[in-house]
Amino acid sequence: MEKSNGLRVMLFPLPLQGCINPTIQLAKILHSRGFSITVIYTRFNAPKASSHPLFTFLEIQDGLSETETKTHDVTLLLTLLNRSCETPFRDCLTKLLQSADAETGEEKEKISCLIDDSGWIFTQPIAQSLNLPRLVLNTYKVSFFRNHFVLPQLRREMYLSLQDDSEQDDPVQEFPPLRKKDLLQILDKETEVLDSYSKMILETTKASSGIIFMSCEELDQDSLIQAREDFQVPIFAIGPSHSYFPGSSSSLFKVDETCIPWLDKQEDKSVIYVSFGSVNTINEAEFMEIAWGLRNSNQPFLWVVRLSSVVHGTEWIEAIPKKFIEMLHEKGKIVNWCPQEDVLKHRAIGGFLTHNGWNSTVESICASVPMICLPFQWDQLLNARFVSDIWMVGMHLEGRIEKNVIEGAIRRLLLGTEGEAIRERMELLKVNVGRSLKPKGSAYRSLQHLIDYISSFNL
């Protein structure tokens, strides 16, 4: 950490793995630049405070029942959290500001601003009432965030026409580079509750003091130009946050460290890494198709299967016959969770079968690992299109969870000439993104502007 600048930043992550990681990474970045850090968090999916002894952690009640914490409906979960956390958060923030005002002497610190996730829709009016600047941390790709606000209109105007099977592969002009089948999948699963929620996100983001994106010009140039016009607030695209402090993820799951020694025994670029994130689920039939696809590819694989990620089963993979699991382990390794950044950077990894969450997509790019895209929902569908259709650094399964399709994609990626071309393009993309983080690079400059901006709140 640089010498303390006497300023404290408050951070408030959404309690989802894909939101906690970038928030803690941003906290580390700001702390390294002299800011003191306070993280306000919910009891549900609480980050591990002991892993970050230099930060102050404050817990607030989230009001969730045990049943509600187990829901797979993310929209419902976020709606419940926004309803129940407002009063506890207001009380916590008010006390912090009062305590800061009461401090005397040379050690007095000023609270500079609040940085929280765009999914918290009650924090903007609270911060405004307390005269505290609020910056929005956004964990989506810029192009998804700015375009997803058109979804309610598309639901009203296009939903029926999208169901024409002959047009499923046609592009969606209002939401590039999505295809109509992608958009139908998004609109099919989401509800009017989400439309109302998105409207509030738009309004509170426009009223904020600025937006922070974990992206860069090299990944989102056109969208950043458009976003600055749309929101009319300062925007900071500071690049892949994990690149500043590699291996500093804040996992909510117990990590199986045995996967690294296992990878050490494998040949270079021979292993297919498989993970579908912290939220997505598959059923038993899909599990078996993926398992056979991996086994039949005859390539070593490292497969993350979270507890409860296989629905309609018993617990984890205990429902699968032991002989079948033993057969899988002859060629691969199955773990509950793993240190993904370390895995992707390992010399043995040759490809990533992924759900294309933004964090996973960017981590794969930074490690120069080509992808096989199997998006499940929401922004994953757009990220996958960028990977396969725009940057051309991966292959798209087009939703086909079939053993022959998966086997074929793995073989083409790891053993074929198509895979060689993809790896070359991925290496170029990695270099360009890496350049943005170096002095004079776009993300480097944007981060410096962010530091100056936060510091200016107390001048």
Side-chain angles (χ1 to χ4, degrees):
M1 176 180 175
E2 291 184 2
K3 183 180 179 182
S4 173
N5 59 18
L7 300 177
R8 180 170 291 274
V9 174
M10 322 298 299
L11 295 107
F12 183 36
L14 274 180
L16 300 173
Q17 183 72 78
C19 300
I20 291 173
N21 272 357
T23 302
I24 297 298
Q25 288 160 351
L26 177 60
K28 290 189 172 187
I29 294 168
L30 295 176
H31 186 263
S32 72
R33 299 303 184 95
F35 293 92
S36 297
I37 300 296
T38 295
V39 179
I40 302 173
Y41 66 95
T42 60
R43 176 169 293 184
F44 170 63
N45 277 354
K48 193 174 181 181
S50 60
S51 298
H52 312 284
L54 299 178
F55 303 161
T56 300
F57 284 82
L58 297 173
E59 180 186 279
I60 63 170
Q61 296 295 321
D62 52 55
L64 296 181
S65 68
E66 186 176 349
T67 302
E68 289 167 341
T69 62
K70 294 179 180 177
T71 180
H72 293 295
D73 186 336
V74 177
T75 302
L76 173 62
L77 177 65
L78 297 183
T79 301
L80 292 170
L81 284 166
N82 270 282
R83 188 180 304 153
S84 60
C85 290
E86 181 171 359
T87 299
F89 179 81
R90 181 192 295 274
D91 292 345
C92 179
L93 193 58
T94 301
K95 288 178 183 176
L96 286 169
L97 289 168
Q98 289 172 344
S99 298
D101 289 341
E103 288 180 4
T104 57
E106 293 182 3
E107 299 301 316
K108 181 174 180 178
E109 277 187 336
K110 293 181 180 178
I111 294 179
S112 179
C113 66
L114 167 68
I115 301 176
D116 65 23
D117 196 282
S118 59
W120 290 122
I121 57 177
F122 62 80
T123 54
Q124 180 60 39
I126 290 176
Q128 208 163 330
S129 69
L130 297 171
N131 293 317
L132 183 68
R134 173 200 177 228
L135 278 76
V136 172
L137 173 60
N138 196 280
T139 56
Y140 294 133
K141 191 179 189 300
V142 180
S143 51
F144 182 85
F145 183 68
R146 67 170 297 272
N147 282 329
H148 92 276
F149 297 113
V150 78
L151 289 174
Q153 177 187 341
L154 296 182
R155 192 193 317 280
R156 291 190 301 269
E157 297 177 0
M158 290 182 62
Y159 185 75
L160 291 176
S161 66
L162 289 172
Q163 297 180 36
D164 184 343
D165 289 341
S166 66
E167 299 178 353
Q168 291 295 290
D169 284 310
D170 289 357
V172 181
Q173 302 298 335
E174 298 88 346
F175 207 148
L178 288 181
R179 300 184 188 180
K180 287 187 176 180
K181 60 185 176 185
D182 303 324
L183 186 59
L184 183 61
Q185 192 171 338
I186 292 174
L187 297 182
D188 221 17
K189 291 189 176 181
E190 307 304 340
T191 66
E192 291 182 8
V193 174
L194 179 61
D195 290 350
S196 174
Y197 182 50
S198 294
K199 182 181 178 183
M200 289 300 298
I201 290 176
L202 179 60
E203 292 175 359
T204 53
T205 300
K206 284 187 172 182
S208 73
S209 296
I211 311 172
I212 303 168
F213 285 105
M214 299 308 190
S215 188
C216 57
E217 300 281 351
E218 288 70 12
L219 295 174
D220 261 312
Q221 185 173 27
D222 292 343
S223 294
L224 281 166
I225 293 171
Q226 294 164 340
R228 291 186 173 99
E229 294 178 3
D230 293 345
F231 293 99
Q232 298 292 305
V233 298
I235 288 178
F236 308 92
I238 65 171
S241 58
H242 74 281
S243 297
Y244 294 91
F245 289 91
S248 63
S249 67
S250 302
S251 177
L252 296 172
F253 306 100
K254 185 177 180 181
V255 172
D256 187 334
E257 299 287 356
T258 65
C259 56
I260 300 299
W262 181 84
L263 285 172
D264 290 341
K265 299 174 184 177
Q266 310 305 317
E267 296 180 6
D268 289 1
K269 299 192 183 305
S270 66
V271 177
I272 186 77
Y273 168 55
V274 187
S275 177
F276 302 129
S278 59
V279 175
N280 297 306
T281 59
I282 57 176
N283 59 41
E284 286 183 81
E286 290 169 333
F287 177 93
M288 295 301 288
E289 291 291 323
I290 294 168
W292 277 115
L294 292 171
R295 184 65 184 86
N296 293 345
S297 73
N298 205 33
Q299 292 295 128
F301 61 86
L302 173 62
W303 187 4
V304 174
V305 183
R306 299 182 337 270
L307 290 168
S308 78
S309 66
V310 182
V311 295
H312 306 308
T314 52
E315 292 186 17
W316 198 46
I317 55 175
E318 281 78 0
I320 310 300
K322 184 177 285 188
K323 286 186 178 180
F324 184 76
I325 296 300
E326 289 174 355
M327 182 190 72
L328 286 178
H329 278 292
E330 290 172 8
K331 198 65 184 177
K333 184 174 179 64
I334 301 177
V335 296
N336 285 320
W337 199 248
C338 73
Q340 180 163 288
E341 287 179 50
D342 294 337
V343 166
L344 285 170
K345 288 186 291 186
H346 197 283
R347 58 163 184 79
I349 297 296
F352 184 11
L353 174 51
T354 173
H355 66 302
N356 287 111
W358 185 237
N359 291 336
S360 291
T361 299
V362 172
E363 287 169 12
S364 198
I365 291 170
C366 291
S368 193
V369 175
M371 287 167 263
I372 298 175
C373 305
L374 183 58
F376 287 75
Q377 59 187 326
W378 204 225
D379 67 312
Q380 299 163 17
L381 293 145
L382 177 126
N383 299 336
R385 287 292 165 212
F386 269 90
V387 168
S388 63
D389 299 0
I390 305 301
W391 302 322
M392 295 186 290
V393 293
M395 301 172 176
H396 204 306
L397 294 182
E398 303 295 348
R400 296 175 63 191
I401 306 180
E402 303 166 21
K403 58 178 179 283
N404 293 339
V405 173
I406 292 167
E407 175 192 348
I410 293 171
R411 286 180 168 276
R412 282 158 46 215
L413 185 66
L414 298 186
L415 305 174
T417 55
E418 183 181 358
E420 290 178 11
I422 287 174
R423 281 191 290 277
E424 289 176 5
R425 288 191 292 268
M426 178 60 94
E427 184 61 28
L428 287 174
L429 184 59
K430 173 199 172 182
V431 169
N432 286 336
V433 171
R435 191 179 295 126
S436 77
L437 296 162
K438 295 178 180 178
K440 298 184 179 179
S442 66
Y444 182 95
R445 296 195 310 271
S446 193
L447 175 59
Q448 189 56 54
H449 291 156
L450 174 64
I451 302 300
D452 294 343
Y453 186 59
I454 295 174
S455 301
S456 74
F457 292 140
N458 293 278
L459 295 178

